Amino acid sequence: MELGFSLQAKYDLPMEQVIPLLKNAGFSAVSPTWTSESDLAAISACIREQGMIIQSLHAPPKGIPVLWQEDETQSAELLGTFFKCIDMCAQYHIPTLVIHGWQGHNYAFPSEPLYFGNFDQIVSYAQRKNIAIAFENLEGEEYLAALMERYPGAGYCWDSGHDSCYPHKTDFLKEFGHRLIMTHLNDNLGPGDPSVPLSSAVDKHYLPFDGNLNWDDCIRRLKTAKKQNILNFEFKIKPNDRYAHLPLDAFIALAGSRALQIAERYATII
């Protein structure tokens, strides 16, 4: 079982120092997030120098609702960014692009037919470039369901923390587990006070066992899905106050230890 690590956009150390720390902590795969400031060429070179692989690239998580709009003046810029992400995946031999289907807690799912034009272009372009698309569970579960239904060739990315803190009516891991190609494993404290409007503040991305998730249950559910050769973890050292006292090297070492515990359970739990 190999371990993967989803990179945040920035750390207190440069990426050429972060990547070796990940290797020393037991991670063999890395998944960057695309930003306009990221030097993916340098990151890719550093990863490969360490004998590691790039498992996926995460598309920009913000602004997704405009992709559901037919007005090209609203969606053109973000659509172009997604095309850039696919091009980068092809250029740097990254097999998978992870995409959010929605972003934002306050929404009303429309009763009229959805506009899929932008996503049609994204999925079609990825197919031409031989890049897999993995749609991730987050807010807006109806949009995720619609995308998974429309694109049966697309994969699924399961985020264990989102599964906990953004309660869904649908068990997406059960529904789309046979299409699972990527994991974002992390912990949190659940959805919080039901009398308080849901916000991204509940999405902590803690290390396993620092939150309320029942990891034996999570792993049993995960074992019913398509087998994963790489378990990828998505943690945040910032802005989590829980880890503010830790230097980055100590945080990454602890992350590797916790990830290994999950991988061992994944290998043994029936």
Side-chain angles (χ1 to χ4, degrees), residues 106-119:
N106 300 317
Y107 69 96
F109 190 71
S111 57
E112 63 270 16
L114 294 170
Y115 172 71
F116 287 96
N118 290 313
F119 286 102

Side-chain angles (χ1 to χ4, degrees), residues 123-136:
V123 171
S124 176
Y125 192 66
Q127 288 174 340
R128 294 200 299 272
K129 295 285 187 173
N130 198 31
I131 303 301
I133 296 295
F135 291 112
E136 180 181 353

Side-chain angles (χ1 to χ4, degrees), residues 105 160-168 186-194 196-206 210-215 218 242:
H105 300 281
S160 61
H162 296 166
D163 185 83
S164 169
C165 68
Y166 303 144
H168 303 309
N186 57 87
D187 209 332
N188 58 53
L189 302 175
D193 186 344
V196 177
L198 192 62
S199 75
S200 59
V202 300
D203 190 12
K204 299 293 188 181
H205 283 82
Y206 286 159
D210 284 346
N212 293 339
L213 270 70
N214 182 328
W215 281 99
C218 283
R242 183 176 291 262

Side-chain angles (χ1 to χ4, degrees), residues 137-208:
N137 60 301
L138 198 70
E139 314 105 322
E141 64 175 300
E142 301 92 343
Y143 291 98
L144 172 61
L147 290 167
M148 295 298 287
E149 179 179 358
R150 185 170 180 88
Y151 308 112
Y156 177 51
C157 173
W158 185 61
D159 189 304
S160 61
H162 296 166
D163 185 83
S164 169
C165 68
Y166 303 144
H168 303 309
K169 299 174 185 176
T170 301
D171 183 344
F172 287 110
L173 187 58
K174 180 179 180 180
E175 189 77 15
F176 302 123
H178 62 291
R179 296 163 62 179
L180 185 70
I181 59 173
M182 191 72 194
T183 63
H184 286 172
L185 301 180
N186 57 87
D187 209 332
N188 58 53
L189 302 175
D193 186 344
S195 66
V196 177
L198 192 62
S199 75
S200 59
V202 300
D203 190 12
K204 299 293 188 181
H205 283 82
Y206 286 159
L207 304 180

Side-chain angles (χ1 to χ4, degrees), residues 214-232:
N214 182 328
W215 281 99
D216 285 347
D217 179 63
C218 283
I219 293 167
R220 288 190 184 96
R221 292 174 61 202
L222 194 56
K223 291 287 287 271
T224 66
K226 183 179 178 181
K227 182 180 178 182
Q228 302 298 293
N229 294 320
I230 302 174
L231 287 183
N232 182 73

Side-chain angles (χ1 to χ4, degrees), residues 1-7 27-32 40 43-44 47-48 52-58 89 92-98 131-134 156-157 180-185 227-234:
M1 174 58 59
E2 295 187 65
L3 305 178
F5 190 95
S6 286
L7 290 172
F27 296 99
S28 59
V30 177
S31 291
L40 196 55
I43 293 173
S44 174
I47 290 169
R48 299 188 196 286
M52 304 167 77
I53 65 169
I54 306 180
Q55 185 181 6
S56 72
L57 180 67
H58 201 308
C89 284
Y92 298 109
H93 308 288
I94 305 171
T96 299
L97 180 67
V98 176
I131 303 301
I133 296 295
Y156 177 51
C157 173
L180 185 70
I181 59 173
M182 191 72 194
T183 63
H184 286 172
L185 301 180
K227 182 180 178 182
Q228 302 298 293
N229 294 320
I230 302 174
L231 287 183
N232 182 73
F233 296 80
E234 189 178 59

Side-chain angles (χ1 to χ4, degrees), residues 23-101:
K23 176 69 177 292
N24 291 338
F27 296 99
S28 59
V30 177
S31 291
T33 296
W34 185 92
T35 71
S36 59
E37 296 81 19
S38 297
D39 186 347
L40 196 55
I43 293 173
S44 174
C46 185
I47 290 169
R48 299 188 196 286
E49 285 173 4
Q50 293 295 320
M52 304 167 77
I53 65 169
I54 306 180
Q55 185 181 6
S56 72
L57 180 67
H58 201 308
K62 304 296 184 182
I64 300 297
V66 302
L67 294 177
W68 293 100
Q69 298 177 19
E70 195 167 354
D71 184 351
E72 292 182 0
T73 62
Q74 297 292 320
S75 60
E77 182 177 355
L78 186 58
L79 182 61
T81 298
F82 273 68
F83 290 157
K84 287 181 183 178
C85 288
I86 294 168
D87 287 338
M88 288 182 177
C89 284
Q91 181 177 356
Y92 298 109
H93 308 288
I94 305 171
T96 299
L97 180 67
V98 176
I99 295 177
H100 290 178

